[in-house]
């Protein structure tokens, strides 16, 4: 994947990319590669109040955002990763949001980068108000 990095401030950077894949297999591979990219930067993103490694899915925008944040979900870490999945609607994935959550949860169980830290993996749908534990 090609990443664009926007340095929002000396303490904040947004890494963004677009996935144009249209098959479930290729979308899953891109999604897990995006997770690995974000997880590789966890050490730089963790701050004293860090609690969640948060995976936010916007069904309306087909956008996955990955960040480290605190209990109030208002103080994010240094790196945020955002990926727009342009072709996901064409893939016709059954129970799309649940499937995405399953892929990510399953992937975290084998991620050495994630296991290094004591973060809670969280998943949210269309907003941060409600976080589901993964």
């Amino acid at each position: 994947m090609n990443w664009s990095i926007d340095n929002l401030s000396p303490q904040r950077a947004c890494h963004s990319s677009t996935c144009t894949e249209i098959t479930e297999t290729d979308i899953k591979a891109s999604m897990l590669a995006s997770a690995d990219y974000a997880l590789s930067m966890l050490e730089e993103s963790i701050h004293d109040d860090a609690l969640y490694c948060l995976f936010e899915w916007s069904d309306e925008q087909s956008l996955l955002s990955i960040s480290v944040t605190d209990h109030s979900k208002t103080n994010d870490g240094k790196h945020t990763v955002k990926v727009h999945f342009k072709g996901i609607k064409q893939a016709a994935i059954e129970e799309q949001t649940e499937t995405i959550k399953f892929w990510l949860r399953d992937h975290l169980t084998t991620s050495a980068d994630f296991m290094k830290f004591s973060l809670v993996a969280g998943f949210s749908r269309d907003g941060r108000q409600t976080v589901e534990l993964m």
Side-chain angles (χ1 to χ4, degrees), residues 43-92:
E43 188 167 1
E44 291 180 36
S45 291
I46 292 178
H47 48 81
D48 288 343
D49 295 328
L51 175 63
Y52 292 109
C53 178
L54 186 59
F55 296 83
E56 298 176 76
W57 177 250
S58 169
D59 196 40
E60 183 179 308
Q61 298 175 352
S62 302
L63 181 71
L64 177 67
S65 300
I66 306 168
S67 59
V68 172
T69 192
D70 66 347
H71 72 284
S72 66
K73 299 174 285 296
T74 58
N75 185 20
D76 290 353
K78 180 175 182 175
H79 299 284
T80 300
V81 172
K82 295 182 181 237
V83 184
H84 179 220
F85 287 86
K86 276 188 160 182
I88 200 162
K89 302 278 192 240
Q90 291 172 294

mmCIF file of all heavy atoms in Angstrom, residues 43-92:
data_model
loop_
_atom_site.group_PDB
_atom_site.id
_atom_site.type_symbol
_atom_site.label_atom_id
_atom_site.label_comp_id
_atom_site.label_asym_id
_atom_site.label_seq_id
_atom_site.Cartn_x
_atom_site.Cartn_y
_atom_site.Cartn_z
ATOM 1 N N GLU A 43 4.584 1.784 19.702
ATOM 2 C CA GLU A 43 5.498 2.305 20.722
ATOM 3 C C GLU A 43 5.565 3.830 20.713
ATOM 4 O O GLU A 43 5.579 4.463 21.758
ATOM 5 C CB GLU A 43 6.890 1.716 20.536
ATOM 6 C CG GLU A 43 7.818 2.062 21.669
ATOM 7 C CD GLU A 43 9.091 1.245 21.658
ATOM 8 O OE1 GLU A 43 9.282 0.405 20.769
ATOM 9 O OE2 GLU A 43 9.904 1.457 22.573
ATOM 10 N N GLU A 44 5.565 4.420 19.517
ATOM 11 C CA GLU A 44 5.610 5.877 19.408
ATOM 12 C C GLU A 44 4.264 6.526 19.755
ATOM 13 O O GLU A 44 4.220 7.718 20.041
ATOM 14 C CB GLU A 44 6.005 6.296 17.989
ATOM 15 C CG GLU A 44 7.427 5.970 17.620
ATOM 16 C CD GLU A 44 7.737 6.407 16.202
ATOM 17 O OE1 GLU A 44 7.229 7.455 15.765
ATOM 18 O OE2 GLU A 44 8.499 5.691 15.537
ATOM 19 N N SER A 45 3.199 5.761 19.705
ATOM 20 C CA SER A 45 1.860 6.317 19.923
ATOM 21 C C SER A 45 1.375 6.211 21.361
ATOM 22 O O SER A 45 0.419 6.877 21.743
ATOM 23 C CB SER A 45 0.850 5.622 19.004
ATOM 24 O OG SER A 45 1.086 5.980 17.666
ATOM 25 N N ILE A 46 2.013 5.361 22.141
ATOM 26 C CA ILE A 46 1.552 5.154 23.512
ATOM 27 C C ILE A 46 1.998 6.317 24.394
ATOM 28 O O ILE A 46 3.140 6.744 24.356
ATOM 29 C CB ILE A 46 2.063 3.806 24.054
ATOM 30 C CG1 ILE A 46 1.368 2.678 23.292
ATOM 31 C CG2 ILE A 46 1.822 3.689 25.550
ATOM 32 C CD1 ILE A 46 1.810 1.306 23.678
ATOM 33 N N HIS A 47 1.057 6.823 25.183
ATOM 34 C CA HIS A 47 1.328 7.884 26.147
ATOM 35 C C HIS A 47 0.841 7.403 27.513
ATOM 36 O O HIS A 47 0.262 6.320 27.636
ATOM 37 C CB HIS A 47 0.658 9.200 25.719
ATOM 38 C CG HIS A 47 -0.782 9.047 25.335
ATOM 39 N ND1 HIS A 47 -1.791 8.992 26.262
ATOM 40 C CD2 HIS A 47 -1.375 8.893 24.121
ATOM 41 C CE1 HIS A 47 -2.952 8.828 25.648
ATOM 42 N NE2 HIS A 47 -2.733 8.755 24.338
ATOM 43 N N ASP A 48 1.083 8.190 28.535
ATOM 44 C CA ASP A 48 0.786 7.764 29.912
ATOM 45 C C ASP A 48 -0.655 7.306 30.118
ATOM 46 O O ASP A 48 -0.904 6.383 30.884
ATOM 47 C CB ASP A 48 1.093 8.895 30.900
ATOM 48 C CG ASP A 48 2.586 9.112 31.061
ATOM 49 O OD1 ASP A 48 3.362 8.208 30.689
ATOM 50 O OD2 ASP A 48 2.972 10.179 31.543
ATOM 51 N N ASP A 49 -1.602 7.943 29.458
ATOM 52 C CA ASP A 49 -3.013 7.615 29.668
ATOM 53 C C ASP A 49 -3.573 6.647 28.627
ATOM 54 O O ASP A 49 -4.782 6.432 28.583
ATOM 55 C CB ASP A 49 -3.851 8.898 29.653
ATOM 56 C CG ASP A 49 -3.500 9.806 30.818
ATOM 57 O OD1 ASP A 49 -3.132 9.288 31.880
ATOM 58 O OD2 ASP A 49 -3.579 11.037 30.654
ATOM 59 N N ALA A 50 -2.708 6.080 27.801
ATOM 60 C CA ALA A 50 -3.183 5.195 26.731
ATOM 61 C C ALA A 50 -3.905 3.980 27.308
ATOM 62 O O ALA A 50 -3.452 3.357 28.259
ATOM 63 C CB ALA A 50 -2.014 4.751 25.856
ATOM 64 N N LEU A 51 -5.040 3.670 26.736
ATOM 65 C CA LEU A 51 -5.825 2.515 27.162
ATOM 66 C C LEU A 51 -6.179 1.620 25.983
ATOM 67 O O LEU A 51 -6.024 0.419 26.039
ATOM 68 C CB LEU A 51 -7.112 2.962 27.868
ATOM 69 C CG LEU A 51 -8.084 1.850 28.259
ATOM 70 C CD1 LEU A 51 -7.454 0.885 29.270
ATOM 71 C CD2 LEU A 51 -9.365 2.428 28.831
ATOM 72 N N TYR A 52 -6.689 2.236 24.904
ATOM 73 C CA TYR A 52 -7.205 1.474 23.768
ATOM 74 C C TYR A 52 -6.292 1.525 22.546
ATOM 75 O O TYR A 52 -5.729 2.570 22.232
ATOM 76 C CB TYR A 52 -8.543 2.053 23.294
ATOM 77 C CG TYR A 52 -9.695 1.903 24.238
ATOM 78 C CD1 TYR A 52 -10.213 3.018 24.899
ATOM 79 C CD2 TYR A 52 -10.293 0.669 24.455
ATOM 80 C CE1 TYR A 52 -11.293 2.899 25.757
ATOM 81 C CE2 TYR A 52 -11.376 0.548 25.320
ATOM 82 C CZ TYR A 52 -11.868 1.661 25.962
ATOM 83 O OH TYR A 52 -12.938 1.542 26.803
ATOM 84 N N CYS A 53 -6.209 0.412 21.873
ATOM 85 C CA CYS A 53 -5.807 0.393 20.474
ATOM 86 C C CYS A 53 -7.158 0.287 19.770
ATOM 87 O O CYS A 53 -7.820 -0.750 19.807
ATOM 88 C CB CYS A 53 -4.923 -0.806 20.159
ATOM 89 S SG CYS A 53 -4.453 -0.874 18.410
ATOM 90 N N LEU A 54 -7.581 1.395 19.194
ATOM 91 C CA LEU A 54 -8.960 1.515 18.708
ATOM 92 C C LEU A 54 -9.041 1.365 17.196
ATOM 93 O O LEU A 54 -8.340 2.057 16.450
ATOM 94 C CB LEU A 54 -9.521 2.869 19.126
ATOM 95 C CG LEU A 54 -10.993 3.135 18.843
ATOM 96 C CD1 LEU A 54 -11.884 2.105 19.547
ATOM 97 C CD2 LEU A 54 -11.362 4.543 19.289
ATOM 98 N N PHE A 55 -9.894 0.453 16.768
ATOM 99 C CA PHE A 55 -10.189 0.239 15.356
ATOM 100 C C PHE A 55 -11.592 0.793 15.118
ATOM 101 O O PHE A 55 -12.565 0.260 15.643
ATOM 102 C CB PHE A 55 -10.148 -1.253 15.012
ATOM 103 C CG PHE A 55 -8.782 -1.866 15.182
ATOM 104 C CD1 PHE A 55 -8.342 -2.292 16.433
ATOM 105 C CD2 PHE A 55 -7.934 -2.001 14.099
ATOM 106 C CE1 PHE A 55 -7.086 -2.835 16.603
ATOM 107 C CE2 PHE A 55 -6.674 -2.552 14.257
ATOM 108 C CZ PHE A 55 -6.240 -2.972 15.504
ATOM 109 N N GLU A 56 -11.671 1.855 14.333
ATOM 110 C CA GLU A 56 -12.965 2.491 14.053
ATOM 111 C C GLU A 56 -13.364 2.199 12.614
ATOM 112 O O GLU A 56 -12.602 2.489 11.686
ATOM 113 C CB GLU A 56 -12.854 4.002 14.219
ATOM 114 C CG GLU A 56 -12.497 4.455 15.600
ATOM 115 C CD GLU A 56 -12.311 5.955 15.649
ATOM 116 O OE1 GLU A 56 -13.329 6.679 15.632
ATOM 117 O OE2 GLU A 56 -11.145 6.394 15.693
ATOM 118 N N TRP A 57 -14.555 1.664 12.439
ATOM 119 C CA TRP A 57 -15.054 1.385 11.099
ATOM 120 C C TRP A 57 -16.252 2.286 10.798
ATOM 121 O O TRP A 57 -17.228 2.308 11.540
ATOM 122 C CB TRP A 57 -15.460 -0.079 10.946
ATOM 123 C CG TRP A 57 -16.038 -0.347 9.590
ATOM 124 C CD1 TRP A 57 -17.338 -0.631 9.305
ATOM 125 C CD2 TRP A 57 -15.347 -0.330 8.340
ATOM 126 N NE1 TRP A 57 -17.501 -0.797 7.949
ATOM 127 C CE2 TRP A 57 -16.288 -0.617 7.325
ATOM 128 C CE3 TRP A 57 -14.026 -0.094 7.967
ATOM 129 C CZ2 TRP A 57 -15.948 -0.679 5.982
ATOM 130 C CZ3 TRP A 57 -13.690 -0.161 6.628
ATOM 131 C CH2 TRP A 57 -14.647 -0.456 5.653
ATOM 132 N N SER A 58 -16.158 3.005 9.694
ATOM 133 C CA SER A 58 -17.281 3.806 9.220
ATOM 134 C C SER A 58 -17.848 3.098 7.994
ATOM 135 O O SER A 58 -17.219 3.103 6.932
ATOM 136 C CB SER A 58 -16.834 5.222 8.846
ATOM 137 O OG SER A 58 -17.885 5.885 8.162
ATOM 138 N N ASP A 59 -19.011 2.497 8.168
ATOM 139 C CA ASP A 59 -19.653 1.782 7.067
ATOM 140 C C ASP A 59 -20.029 2.747 5.944
ATOM 141 O O ASP A 59 -19.866 2.442 4.773
ATOM 142 C CB ASP A 59 -20.886 1.051 7.593
ATOM 143 C CG ASP A 59 -21.383 -0.007 6.638
ATOM 144 O OD1 ASP A 59 -20.544 -0.703 6.038
ATOM 145 O OD2 ASP A 59 -22.604 -0.145 6.509
ATOM 146 N N GLU A 60 -20.507 3.910 6.329
ATOM 147 C CA GLU A 60 -20.936 4.913 5.350
ATOM 148 C C GLU A 60 -19.779 5.378 4.463
ATOM 149 O O GLU A 60 -19.927 5.533 3.258
ATOM 150 C CB GLU A 60 -21.537 6.114 6.081
ATOM 151 C CG GLU A 60 -22.083 7.181 5.159
ATOM 152 C CD GLU A 60 -22.693 8.327 5.942
ATOM 153 O OE1 GLU A 60 -23.548 8.058 6.808
ATOM 154 O OE2 GLU A 60 -22.305 9.474 5.687
ATOM 155 N N GLN A 61 -18.610 5.578 5.060
ATOM 156 C CA GLN A 61 -17.444 6.069 4.307
ATOM 157 C C GLN A 61 -16.507 4.952 3.866
ATOM 158 O O GLN A 61 -15.537 5.217 3.160
ATOM 159 C CB GLN A 61 -16.649 7.059 5.161
ATOM 160 C CG GLN A 61 -17.413 8.286 5.543
ATOM 161 C CD GLN A 61 -16.612 9.175 6.485
ATOM 162 O OE1 GLN A 61 -15.545 8.823 6.975
ATOM 163 N NE2 GLN A 61 -17.128 10.362 6.731
ATOM 164 N N SER A 62 -16.759 3.730 4.289
ATOM 165 C CA SER A 62 -15.854 2.598 4.041
ATOM 166 C C SER A 62 -14.440 2.947 4.484
ATOM 167 O O SER A 62 -13.467 2.756 3.775
ATOM 168 C CB SER A 62 -15.861 2.201 2.555
ATOM 169 O OG SER A 62 -17.155 1.867 2.135
ATOM 170 N N LEU A 63 -14.341 3.460 5.716
ATOM 171 C CA LEU A 63 -13.084 3.977 6.243
ATOM 172 C C LEU A 63 -12.718 3.266 7.543
ATOM 173 O O LEU A 63 -13.522 3.185 8.468
ATOM 174 C CB LEU A 63 -13.216 5.479 6.512
ATOM 175 C CG LEU A 63 -11.980 6.191 7.050
ATOM 176 C CD1 LEU A 63 -10.910 6.297 5.959
ATOM 177 C CD2 LEU A 63 -12.357 7.582 7.543
ATOM 178 N N LEU A 64 -11.489 2.743 7.574
ATOM 179 C CA LEU A 64 -10.941 2.149 8.788
ATOM 180 C C LEU A 64 -9.923 3.119 9.358
ATOM 181 O O LEU A 64 -9.013 3.557 8.658
ATOM 182 C CB LEU A 64 -10.263 0.814 8.486
ATOM 183 C CG LEU A 64 -9.584 0.131 9.677
ATOM 184 C CD1 LEU A 64 -10.617 -0.327 10.710
ATOM 185 C CD2 LEU A 64 -8.736 -1.042 9.205
ATOM 186 N N SER A 65 -10.089 3.468 10.637
ATOM 187 C CA SER A 65 -9.139 4.319 11.346
ATOM 188 C C SER A 65 -8.586 3.523 12.516
ATOM 189 O O SER A 65 -9.338 2.859 13.236
ATOM 190 C CB SER A 65 -9.808 5.585 11.877
ATOM 191 O OG SER A 65 -10.350 6.334 10.828
ATOM 192 N N ILE A 66 -7.274 3.602 12.704
ATOM 193 C CA ILE A 66 -6.617 2.874 13.789
ATOM 194 C C ILE A 66 -5.790 3.872 14.586
ATOM 195 O O ILE A 66 -4.984 4.614 14.021
ATOM 196 C CB ILE A 66 -5.705 1.754 13.243
ATOM 197 C CG1 ILE A 66 -6.479 0.831 12.293
ATOM 198 C CG2 ILE A 66 -5.085 0.960 14.399
ATOM 199 C CD1 ILE A 66 -5.621 -0.118 11.493
ATOM 200 N N SER A 67 -6.012 3.889 15.903
ATOM 201 C CA SER A 67 -5.274 4.824 16.747
ATOM 202 C C SER A 67 -5.147 4.260 18.158
ATOM 203 O O SER A 67 -5.833 3.321 18.534
ATOM 204 C CB SER A 67 -5.985 6.181 16.790
ATOM 205 O OG SER A 67 -7.292 6.030 17.301
ATOM 206 N N VAL A 68 -4.251 4.872 18.916
ATOM 207 C CA VAL A 68 -4.134 4.604 20.347
ATOM 208 C C VAL A 68 -4.776 5.791 21.036
ATOM 209 O O VAL A 68 -4.529 6.939 20.668
ATOM 210 C CB VAL A 68 -2.653 4.471 20.763
ATOM 211 C CG1 VAL A 68 -2.526 4.396 22.281
ATOM 212 C CG2 VAL A 68 -2.020 3.257 20.111
ATOM 213 N N THR A 69 -5.628 5.521 22.013
ATOM 214 C CA THR A 69 -6.329 6.619 22.672
ATOM 215 C C THR A 69 -6.542 6.317 24.163
ATOM 216 O O THR A 69 -6.315 5.189 24.612
ATOM 217 C CB THR A 69 -7.664 6.924 21.957
ATOM 218 O OG1 THR A 69 -8.194 8.148 22.429
ATOM 219 C CG2 THR A 69 -8.662 5.800 22.123
ATOM 220 N N ASP A 70 -6.973 7.313 24.885
ATOM 221 C CA ASP A 70 -7.194 7.184 26.329
ATOM 222 C C ASP A 70 -8.615 6.709 26.625
ATOM 223 O O ASP A 70 -9.396 6.445 25.705
ATOM 224 C CB ASP A 70 -6.895 8.507 27.033
ATOM 225 C CG ASP A 70 -7.863 9.617 26.639
ATOM 226 O OD1 ASP A 70 -8.614 9.464 25.662
ATOM 227 O OD2 ASP A 70 -7.851 10.657 27.312
ATOM 228 N N HIS A 71 -8.948 6.609 27.911
ATOM 229 C CA HIS A 71 -10.262 6.089 28.303
ATOM 230 C C HIS A 71 -11.415 6.960 27.801
ATOM 231 O O HIS A 71 -12.500 6.461 27.532
ATOM 232 C CB HIS A 71 -10.349 5.948 29.827
ATOM 233 C CG HIS A 71 -10.454 7.251 30.554
ATOM 234 N ND1 HIS A 71 -9.374 8.084 30.739
ATOM 235 C CD2 HIS A 71 -11.511 7.869 31.103
ATOM 236 C CE1 HIS A 71 -9.764 9.165 31.374
ATOM 237 N NE2 HIS A 71 -11.061 9.067 31.618
ATOM 238 N N SER A 72 -11.176 8.266 27.637
ATOM 239 C CA SER A 72 -12.244 9.152 27.155
ATOM 240 C C SER A 72 -12.326 9.194 25.625
ATOM 241 O O SER A 72 -13.248 9.772 25.068
ATOM 242 C CB SER A 72 -12.028 10.571 27.688
ATOM 243 O OG SER A 72 -10.851 11.127 27.123
ATOM 244 N N LYS A 73 -11.358 8.595 24.996
ATOM 245 C CA LYS A 73 -11.263 8.543 23.525
ATOM 246 C C LYS A 73 -11.137 9.941 22.913
ATOM 247 O O LYS A 73 -11.580 10.193 21.811
ATOM 248 C CB LYS A 73 -12.438 7.764 22.931
ATOM 249 C CG LYS A 73 -12.476 6.313 23.414
ATOM 250 C CD LYS A 73 -13.686 5.569 22.963
ATOM 251 C CE LYS A 73 -14.954 5.861 23.632
ATOM 252 N NZ LYS A 73 -15.245 5.637 24.984
ATOM 253 N N THR A 74 -10.479 10.842 23.650
ATOM 254 C CA THR A 74 -10.275 12.209 23.159
ATOM 255 C C THR A 74 -8.800 12.571 23.015
ATOM 256 O O THR A 74 -8.478 13.577 22.408
ATOM 257 C CB THR A 74 -10.930 13.240 24.105
ATOM 258 O OG1 THR A 74 -10.380 13.092 25.411
ATOM 259 C CG2 THR A 74 -12.440 13.062 24.144
ATOM 260 N N ASN A 75 -7.913 11.766 23.580
ATOM 261 C CA ASN A 75 -6.484 12.062 23.553
ATOM 262 C C ASN A 75 -5.756 10.949 22.811
ATOM 263 O O ASN A 75 -5.312 9.974 23.412
ATOM 264 C CB ASN A 75 -5.961 12.215 24.996
ATOM 265 C CG ASN A 75 -4.516 12.634 25.037
ATOM 266 O OD1 ASN A 75 -3.977 13.165 24.071
ATOM 267 N ND2 ASN A 75 -3.881 12.395 26.172
ATOM 268 N N ASP A 76 -5.632 11.093 21.493
ATOM 269 C CA ASP A 76 -5.009 10.071 20.664
ATOM 270 C C ASP A 76 -3.493 10.159 20.715
ATOM 271 O O ASP A 76 -2.915 11.211 20.987
ATOM 272 C CB ASP A 76 -5.461 10.201 19.207
ATOM 273 C CG ASP A 76 -6.908 9.806 19.017
ATOM 274 O OD1 ASP A 76 -7.522 9.300 19.974
ATOM 275 O OD2 ASP A 76 -7.426 9.988 17.904
ATOM 276 N N GLY A 77 -2.853 9.043 20.389
ATOM 277 C CA GLY A 77 -1.405 8.978 20.329
ATOM 278 C C GLY A 77 -0.869 9.665 19.082
ATOM 279 O O GLY A 77 -1.612 10.272 18.309
ATOM 280 N N LYS A 78 0.423 9.552 18.880
ATOM 281 C CA LYS A 78 1.102 10.275 17.801
ATOM 282 C C LYS A 78 0.615 9.871 16.412
ATOM 283 O O LYS A 78 0.426 10.713 15.548
ATOM 284 C CB LYS A 78 2.613 10.069 17.906
ATOM 285 C CG LYS A 78 3.386 10.796 16.829
ATOM 286 C CD LYS A 78 4.876 10.688 17.009
ATOM 287 C CE LYS A 78 5.572 11.487 15.910
ATOM 288 N NZ LYS A 78 7.014 11.520 16.106
ATOM 289 N N HIS A 79 0.447 8.579 16.172
ATOM 290 C CA HIS A 79 0.130 8.101 14.821
ATOM 291 C C HIS A 79 -1.314 7.612 14.713
ATOM 292 O O HIS A 79 -1.781 6.819 15.532
ATOM 293 C CB HIS A 79 1.066 6.955 14.424
ATOM 294 C CG HIS A 79 2.501 7.350 14.402
ATOM 295 N ND1 HIS A 79 3.042 8.096 13.390
ATOM 296 C CD2 HIS A 79 3.510 7.129 15.282
ATOM 297 C CE1 HIS A 79 4.321 8.302 13.632
ATOM 298 N NE2 HIS A 79 4.633 7.726 14.785
ATOM 299 N N THR A 80 -1.987 8.072 13.687
ATOM 300 C CA THR A 80 -3.308 7.576 13.321
ATOM 301 C C THR A 80 -3.211 7.053 11.897
ATOM 302 O O THR A 80 -2.609 7.693 11.036
ATOM 303 C CB THR A 80 -4.371 8.695 13.391
ATOM 304 O OG1 THR A 80 -4.423 9.186 14.727
ATOM 305 C CG2 THR A 80 -5.740 8.181 12.999
ATOM 306 N N VAL A 81 -3.799 5.889 11.656
ATOM 307 C CA VAL A 81 -3.794 5.287 10.326
ATOM 308 C C VAL A 81 -5.229 5.260 9.820
ATOM 309 O O VAL A 81 -6.135 4.812 10.530
ATOM 310 C CB VAL A 81 -3.195 3.859 10.371
ATOM 311 C CG1 VAL A 81 -3.365 3.146 9.047
ATOM 312 C CG2 VAL A 81 -1.729 3.916 10.785
ATOM 313 N N LYS A 82 -5.423 5.754 8.588
ATOM 314 C CA LYS A 82 -6.753 5.773 7.980
ATOM 315 C C LYS A 82 -6.665 5.175 6.576
ATOM 316 O O LYS A 82 -5.831 5.583 5.785
ATOM 317 C CB LYS A 82 -7.298 7.197 7.890
ATOM 318 C CG LYS A 82 -7.542 7.822 9.243
ATOM 319 C CD LYS A 82 -8.123 9.213 9.120
ATOM 320 C CE LYS A 82 -8.332 9.793 10.495
ATOM 321 N NZ LYS A 82 -9.670 10.192 10.760
ATOM 322 N N VAL A 83 -7.571 4.234 6.316
ATOM 323 C CA VAL A 83 -7.603 3.592 5.002
ATOM 324 C C VAL A 83 -9.034 3.612 4.474
ATOM 325 O O VAL A 83 -9.962 3.157 5.145
ATOM 326 C CB VAL A 83 -7.103 2.130 5.063
ATOM 327 C CG1 VAL A 83 -7.054 1.533 3.667
ATOM 328 C CG2 VAL A 83 -5.738 2.058 5.727
ATOM 329 N N HIS A 84 -9.182 4.139 3.276
ATOM 330 C CA HIS A 84 -10.473 4.169 2.595
ATOM 331 C C HIS A 84 -10.536 2.933 1.691
ATOM 332 O O HIS A 84 -9.691 2.760 0.814
ATOM 333 C CB HIS A 84 -10.600 5.456 1.772
ATOM 334 C CG HIS A 84 -11.879 5.551 1.023
ATOM 335 N ND1 HIS A 84 -11.947 6.035 -0.247
ATOM 336 C CD2 HIS A 84 -13.146 5.219 1.362
ATOM 337 C CE1 HIS A 84 -13.195 5.994 -0.668
ATOM 338 N NE2 HIS A 84 -13.928 5.499 0.303
ATOM 339 N N PHE A 85 -11.520 2.088 1.913
ATOM 340 C CA PHE A 85 -11.699 0.867 1.122
ATOM 341 C C PHE A 85 -12.747 1.134 0.043
ATOM 342 O O PHE A 85 -13.939 0.897 0.242
ATOM 343 C CB PHE A 85 -12.100 -0.298 2.040
ATOM 344 C CG PHE A 85 -10.956 -0.776 2.884
ATOM 345 C CD1 PHE A 85 -10.668 -0.167 4.100
ATOM 346 C CD2 PHE A 85 -10.135 -1.798 2.445
ATOM 347 C CE1 PHE A 85 -9.605 -0.576 4.879
ATOM 348 C CE2 PHE A 85 -9.060 -2.226 3.210
ATOM 349 C CZ PHE A 85 -8.796 -1.608 4.428
ATOM 350 N N LYS A 86 -12.268 1.626 -1.101
ATOM 351 C CA LYS A 86 -13.164 2.044 -2.183
ATOM 352 C C LYS A 86 -14.004 0.918 -2.771
ATOM 353 O O LYS A 86 -15.145 1.136 -3.166
ATOM 354 C CB LYS A 86 -12.344 2.685 -3.312
ATOM 355 C CG LYS A 86 -12.031 4.125 -3.108
ATOM 356 C CD LYS A 86 -11.396 4.685 -4.357
ATOM 357 C CE LYS A 86 -11.523 6.182 -4.372
ATOM 358 N NZ LYS A 86 -10.959 6.751 -5.587
ATOM 359 N N GLY A 87 -13.452 -0.275 -2.878
ATOM 360 C CA GLY A 87 -14.148 -1.362 -3.559
ATOM 361 C C GLY A 87 -14.868 -2.328 -2.648
ATOM 362 O O GLY A 87 -15.360 -3.361 -3.102
ATOM 363 N N ILE A 88 -14.992 -2.004 -1.373
ATOM 364 C CA ILE A 88 -15.564 -2.970 -0.427
ATOM 365 C C ILE A 88 -17.037 -3.246 -0.692
ATOM 366 O O ILE A 88 -17.513 -4.358 -0.499
ATOM 367 C CB ILE A 88 -15.327 -2.539 1.034
ATOM 368 C CG1 ILE A 88 -15.471 -3.752 1.959
ATOM 369 C CG2 ILE A 88 -16.224 -1.381 1.432
ATOM 370 C CD1 ILE A 88 -14.871 -3.574 3.322
ATOM 371 N N LYS A 89 -17.772 -2.290 -1.194
ATOM 372 C CA LYS A 89 -19.203 -2.507 -1.496
ATOM 373 C C LYS A 89 -19.364 -3.523 -2.631
ATOM 374 O O LYS A 89 -20.298 -4.321 -2.631
ATOM 375 C CB LYS A 89 -19.883 -1.190 -1.873
ATOM 376 C CG LYS A 89 -19.794 -0.124 -0.792
ATOM 377 C CD LYS A 89 -20.831 -0.293 0.283
ATOM 378 C CE LYS A 89 -20.880 0.935 1.153
ATOM 379 N NZ LYS A 89 -20.590 0.707 2.534
ATOM 380 N N GLN A 90 -18.434 -3.488 -3.586
ATOM 381 C CA GLN A 90 -18.490 -4.430 -4.710
ATOM 382 C C GLN A 90 -18.210 -5.861 -4.273
ATOM 383 O O GLN A 90 -18.648 -6.802 -4.914
ATOM 384 C CB GLN A 90 -17.483 -4.028 -5.789
ATOM 385 C CG GLN A 90 -17.846 -2.743 -6.504
ATOM 386 C CD GLN A 90 -16.723 -2.290 -7.404
ATOM 387 O OE1 GLN A 90 -15.654 -1.929 -6.935
ATOM 388 N NE2 GLN A 90 -16.976 -2.334 -8.703
ATOM 389 N N ALA A 91 -17.465 -6.023 -3.182
ATOM 390 C CA ALA A 91 -17.101 -7.359 -2.719
ATOM 391 C C ALA A 91 -18.289 -8.096 -2.108
ATOM 392 O O ALA A 91 -18.267 -9.316 -2.001
ATOM 393 C CB ALA A 91 -15.966 -7.272 -1.705
ATOM 394 N N ALA A 92 -19.330 -7.373 -1.727
ATOM 395 C CA ALA A 92 -20.540 -7.964 -1.155
ATOM 396 C C ALA A 92 -20.214 -8.935 -0.027
ATOM 397 O O ALA A 92 -20.626 -10.091 -0.027
ATOM 398 C CB ALA A 92 -21.369 -8.652 -2.249
#
